[in-house]
Amino acid sequence: MRLLHTSDWHLGQHFMGKSRQEEHQKFVNWLLQQVEEQQVDAILIAGDIFDTGAPPSYAREIYNQLIVSLHDTGTQLVVLAGNHDSVATLGESRQLLARLGAHVIPAITDTLEDQLLVLKNGKGEPAALLCAIPFIRPRDIVQSEAGQSAEEKRLNLQQAIQEHYLKLHEYAITRQAQYPYPLPIITTGHLTTVGTSASESVREIFVGSLEALPTQNFPAANYIALGHIHRPQKVGGQEHIRYCGSPIPLSFDELGHDKEVLLVDLEQQELSVTALRVPRFQPLASITGTLEELATAIMTVAKQTESGQTVWLEITVKADHYLADLQSRIQQMAAGLPVEILRIRKDRVTRLSTEAAAAATLAELTPDDVFSRRLAHEQLPDELILEMKQRYQQIVAMVQQERGMTA
């Protein structure tokens, strides 16, 4: 059979005030074209179909149009909840959408049978068993006990998640006996694993509880389809454990790699994975330079833009002094060009100058402000800064949790 693995659509997302409606609609149209051309038997969306628990009406409409269109083609659809999705929102139409051939898994249940699906090939024959595991919320799988340390809670949650994966996998193995030959087993997940590369648009999903699930905690499935990380990648270099990534860039730091969906071919125990590059439906660019360099860089980006399109632009300014009129000067450079500046950033030197000019006292700053300003004094890679911010948020969450327990 042929499975299409995708995730992290974030329908309804606003990108620095800009709607992604047109991009998402074009992506869905492109995806439906690939389903027909590639003869896809089933589509698996591994979490975060929506960006918020209460998505706008146009996001729901795109979602519903997709389900109706796939029903017309006979292609199976499996939708798993992510950490951005609302269990109630996805669950409210679950039974109705099942009539249209869409399997929606909003949360884990006590009944393993509810999470084990049989995927069929184009001939209507059973071709794979799917352990359909959505984002696992701590409250769904563990109970907090008085007196536990933060580390004990983290380990208990990690162990509970691993046990859920193993139990469902063992149940799938018992179901294989019903078929003349062992069907391949596919497992899903919406979580962070050890050794993955995140982006600034990824929110930590187990803040204060779990950093990442070790790769060895996954069961021995034929293919593990993961969501939550927006950069496509193999986990631990293993061909059968994959993040497909988001189909459109959700932050400027995602511009350095192609967006893709994965075609997964399974013939009994044989596996083949092919990446399909997703077109860029909205031009984005990020440029860095001094004020003198930026004027040329903005013009270059504008000349490379196709007719009728407007580039969404992020600008990082290099300067060794404070510039009070920085915003207006850069906007003047872009005047009349097919570019729209969404964010202007300052490099480290300029940030420090700005902070000194502000002369804010400690009493005026929040803990987040203090931590961010301290990071600004370090010359660190963006990914390391992101990781440090995530760890800081985890520590704050643990402290708040401990205070709540002792209050």
Side-chain angles (χ1 to χ4, degrees), residues 144-157:
S144 180
E145 298 180 10
Q148 282 186 324
S149 67
E151 178 65 13
E152 288 173 333
K153 293 175 184 177
R154 184 185 71 83
L155 293 175
N156 287 345
L157 177 57

Side-chain angles (χ1 to χ4, degrees), residues 73-93:
T73 67
T75 304
Q76 303 159 89
L77 174 64
V78 180
V79 178
L80 302 161
N83 59 300
H84 283 249
D85 296 311
S86 162
V87 173
T89 298
L90 289 185
E92 67 185 6
S93 58

Side-chain angles (χ1 to χ4, degrees), residues 174-204:
T174 64
R175 287 283 299 273
Q176 284 181 323
Q178 300 178 9
Y179 303 95
Y181 53 86
L183 299 180
I185 297 176
I186 303 168
T187 295
T188 70
H190 189 89
L191 75 178
T192 305
T193 60
V194 174
T196 53
S197 176
S199 64
E200 66 179 26
S201 64
V202 175
R203 301 178 195 171
E204 184 55 56

